Amino acid sequence: MTHFNLEADHTGRPLRPKVAVDTVVLAFTEGRLQTYLLKIGRGPARGKWAFPGGLVRAGETLDDAARRELRAAGVGPGIHLEQLFTFGDPRRDPRAHVVSVAYLGLLADQGEVSPPAGKYVDGRWFSVAALPTLGYDHSLMARRAVGRLRAKLGYTNIACNLLPGTFTFSELETLYAAVLRRRLDRRNFRRRILAMNILRRTAAMRRGAHRPACLYRFAQRTAQIAEIL
Amino acid sequence: MTHFNLEADHTGRPLRPKVAVDTVVLAFTEGRLQTYLLKIGRGPARGKWAFPGGLVRAGETLDDAARRELRAAGVGPGIHLEQLFTFGDPRRDPRAHVVSVAYLGLLADQGEVSPPAGKYVDGRWFSVAALPTLGYDHSLMARRAVGRLRAKLGYTNIACNLLPGTFTFSELETLYAAVLRRRLDRRNFRRRILAMNILRRTAAMRRGAHRPACLYRFAQRTAQIAEIL
DNA sequence: CCAAAAGTGTTGGCTCTACACCCATGA
DNA sequence: TCATGGGTGTAGAGCCAACACTTTTGG
C-alpha cells in the first residue's frame, strides 16, 4: 500500500471520512471499576490494546453498529449503551480519516463476555486505575467515559447498569466510593439513597461470612434523573 | 437520479455513511433566546428551515468543518462551539446515509451574522419558543441544544458566550430567567453569582431611561466549572 | 414629581456532615 | 468468643429561599 492509496481514491480525489463506533466497556467487579480491552491483531495499532469497535455499515444506526461490533468482540447483548463523544481528528487513525462515535457501555455482569475472534487476538479486563498503553486515541475515550460515569452517578440511577438485579447497600456504596475515589459515610449515604425512593428492599438476604445483609433492587432499571449526591 | 444511485455506487456496493456537521446557533437578544435558521434552496428539504451545516471534508477536524460551514452561512468566527450529539439514523436524510455531528454554537452578538448565499435562500432569527417546521431531524437538535444550555447554566460560566463583553446584572438575570423559564429572586441571584467570584465589576455604568446600572464582565471567558444554581 | 429599574439584609427552615456504638453471623 | 461486616440516630453548621423598601435617574 502506498501513501496515496490511504488518503485518496485511484482518481486522486481525497476520500471522504469514514464513520466508526468504539465502546468503552465498563464493569464493576472485585471492588474496582474495570474495562474490557482487546488486543489488536492487525493494522498500525497491532499489539496494542483498544476498545471494541469498527466501521459503521450503510443503512445501520450508530447504536446498531456499536452492538454488532460488541457481539463480534464477545460482549453480550445485555450491555447498557449511551453515546459519549465523537472523535474526529483526521490523524487519530494513521491509515485513513476515520470519525469515531464513542459509546459508554455498562455491564452488570462480567460473565457476559466471551473470548473474541477475528481481528482481535486477546481480550482482558483491566482496572481503569492501571490501563496499559492504548491504540489510537482510546486513552482519551477512557478518560471521558469514566468522567461521564462519575458525573452521572451524582444525578441519575446509572449505577443500576453496573449492578446485578439485587445487591446490598455495601455493594452500592463500594461502587460509588470506587468511581468517585473518595470515602462515603455509610449512614449518610444510606439515608440519601433511601430518601430518593429509587430502591426497593427485597425479602431476600445475602448470607456470607458474617452478618447477613438485606438485598435491594432498583425500582426502575430505565434511565432516571434524580438528585443523588 | 434513481434510487440506486442514492444508496449504492455504480457497482451496486452500498455506500458507506457520510459525515456532516450541523450547528444550532443560539443568541440572546431582546430578552429572548433566539436561533439562526437558514432556508434551504435545494434538495429534499427545499423550502424548509434548517441549521447551518454540511459534509465534512477529507483531512478536516469536526470543529474546522463546523466553522467552515458557519462562515459559508454568514456566521462570524467569534462563535463559541461545543459538540452536542451525533445523529446517525440512516433515514434522517432521505438522499443518503449521513451521520451528523451536531454542535451547539453560542453567539454574543447577533450582528456577527450576514446574509447567506449558495445553497441557502434566506437566513433569519427565530425565538426558540416558536420555531417553524425544521428540515431533517433538526427539531431534535434544537431541543437537545436548549437542554444542554439550560443544564450548563447551572454549573458553568457558559453564559459568558451569550453576553457582550460588559453587561448589567439585570441582563444576566434576564438571560438565566429566559433560558430556565422561571423567575429568579434578584437578591439571591446576585448574591450567588457574586459568591462564585466569576464576575468583575467595571468602572463603567450603563445609562438608560432610569437609574444607571453597574457594568460587569466575566473574569474568564474560557470554559469554567463552578456550582452556580 | 412620577414612573421605572437598580440596589441592598435578615431570618427561619432545611439539608448536610460529622461522628460511635450495638448486632448478627460464621468460624 | 472473636472477628468481621451490617445496621442505626443526633446535633451543629452552613446553605437556601422567601421576603420589601430605598435610591437614582429621565421624562
Side-chain angles (χ1 to χ4, degrees):
Chain A
M1 260 195 183
T2 70
H3 178 265
F4 288 114
N5 285 341
L6 301 178
E7 296 291 348
D9 65 14
H10 60 281
T11 69
R13 202 175 38 172
L15 291 173
R16 289 277 183 195
K18 296 185 171 80
V19 188
V21 290
D22 288 295
T23 304
V24 182
V25 179
L26 298 176
F28 183 70
T29 359
E30 295 157 17
R32 294 207 307 274
L33 192 62
Q34 309 207 60
T35 187
Y36 189 62
L37 288 166
L38 297 152
K39 196 169 220 167
I40 301 171
R42 39 188 200 243
R46 187 149 72 107
K48 289 209 181 128
W49 295 91
F51 296 115
L55 293 179
V56 176
R57 296 183 181 159
E60 188 179 47
T61 67
L62 298 169
D63 286 44
D64 287 346
R67 288 193 183 278
R68 176 177 52 70
E69 289 290 345
L70 285 169
R71 207 179 318 128
V75 178
I79 193 169
H80 165 85
L81 285 182
E82 68 179 67
Q83 202 191 102
L84 190 58
F85 192 77
T86 299
F87 293 84
D89 186 328
R91 291 162 308 186
R92 55 178 295 282
D93 184 330
R95 290 168 297 187
H97 186 172
V98 180
V99 171
S100 174
V101 182
Y103 276 78
L104 170 62
L106 303 180
L107 215 46
D109 178 8
Q110 267 194 1
E112 274 212 57
V113 171
S114 47
K119 58 185 167 182
Y120 306 118
V121 295
D122 196 5
R124 263 192 56 196
W125 289 94
F126 290 83
S127 165
V128 295
L131 291 181
T133 306
L134 303 187
Y136 313 110
D137 50 3
H138 286 200
S139 301
L140 290 176
M141 288 184 190
R143 244 206 304 281
R144 207 174 264 264
V146 176
R148 171 77 64 94
L149 174 62
R150 191 170 291 147
K152 289 193 86 168
L153 274 188
Y155 64 97
T156 70
N157 67 341
I158 196 170
C160 70
N161 301 297
L162 286 168
L163 288 170
T166 62
F167 50 88
T168 68
F169 244 105
S170 296
E171 289 163 348
L172 185 63
E173 190 193 323
T174 313
L175 166 57
Y176 270 79
V179 176
L180 300 176
R181 290 180 305 192
R182 61 186 166 98
R183 296 236 162 278
L184 297 171
D185 181 87
R186 202 182 337 155
R187 286 166 289 191
N188 295 336
F189 179 75
R190 176 181 291 254
R191 184 175 21 236
R192 275 196 287 195
I193 298 282
L194 287 177
M196 302 179 56
N197 201 33
I198 57 169
L199 292 189
R200 296 284 173 269
R201 186 167 166 173
T202 69
M205 304 285 276
R206 155 112 359 125
R207 309 190 68 85
H210 303 290
R211 174 173 172 175
C214 299
L215 285 170
Y216 291 81
R217 61 182 173 77
F218 277 93
Q220 302 178 40
R221 303 213 72 172
T222 52
Q224 187 178 163
I225 306 251
E227 244 4 281
I228 299 195
L229 293 189
Chain B
M1 260 195 183
T2 71
H3 178 264
F4 288 114
N5 284 342
L6 301 179
E7 296 291 348
D9 66 12
H10 60 281
T11 69
R13 200 174 41 169
L15 292 173
R16 289 277 182 195
K18 297 185 171 80
V19 188
V21 289
D22 288 295
T23 303
V24 182
V25 179
L26 298 177
F28 183 70
T29 1
E30 296 159 16
R32 293 205 309 273
L33 191 63
Q34 308 206 63
T35 188
Y36 189 63
L37 288 166
L38 297 152
K39 196 168 219 167
I40 301 171
R42 40 187 197 244
R46 187 149 73 106
K48 289 208 181 129
W49 295 92
F51 296 114
L55 293 179
V56 176
R57 296 184 181 159
E60 188 179 49
T61 68
L62 297 169
D63 287 44
D64 287 345
R67 288 193 184 277
R68 176 177 51 71
E69 289 290 344
L70 285 169
R71 207 179 319 128
V75 177
I79 193 168
H80 165 84
L81 285 183
E82 68 180 65
Q83 204 191 100
L84 190 59
F85 192 76
T86 299
F87 293 84
D89 186 327
R91 291 163 308 185
R92 56 177 294 281
D93 184 330
R95 289 168 297 186
H97 186 172
V98 180
V99 171
S100 173
V101 182
Y103 275 78
L104 170 62
L106 304 180
L107 215 46
D109 178 9
Q110 268 195 0
E112 273 213 57
V113 171
S114 48
K119 58 185 167 182
Y120 306 118
V121 294
D122 195 6
R124 262 193 57 197
W125 289 93
F126 290 83
S127 165
V128 295
L131 291 182
T133 306
L134 303 187
Y136 312 110
D137 50 3
H138 286 200
S139 300
L140 291 176
M141 289 184 190
R143 245 206 304 280
R144 207 175 265 264
V146 176
R148 169 79 64 96
L149 174 62
R150 191 171 291 148
K152 289 193 88 168
L153 274 188
Y155 65 96
T156 70
N157 66 342
I158 195 170
C160 69
N161 301 296
L162 286 169
L163 289 170
T166 62
F167 49 88
T168 67
F169 244 104
S170 296
E171 288 163 347
L172 185 62
E173 190 193 323
T174 312
L175 165 56
Y176 269 79
V179 177
L180 300 177
R181 289 180 306 191
R182 61 186 165 98
R183 296 238 161 276
L184 297 171
D185 181 88
R186 201 178 344 151
R187 283 166 291 189
N188 294 336
F189 180 74
R190 176 182 291 254
R191 183 175 23 238
R192 275 195 290 194
I193 298 283
L194 287 177
M196 302 180 55
N197 201 33
I198 57 170
L199 292 189
R200 295 285 173 269
R201 184 166 166 174
T202 69
M205 303 286 275
R206 156 117 352 131
R207 308 191 69 85
H210 302 290
R211 175 173 173 175
C214 299
L215 285 170
Y216 290 81
R217 61 181 174 78
F218 277 93
Q220 302 178 40
R221 303 212 72 170
T222 52
Q224 187 177 162
I225 305 252
E227 247 359 284
I228 299 195
L229 291 189

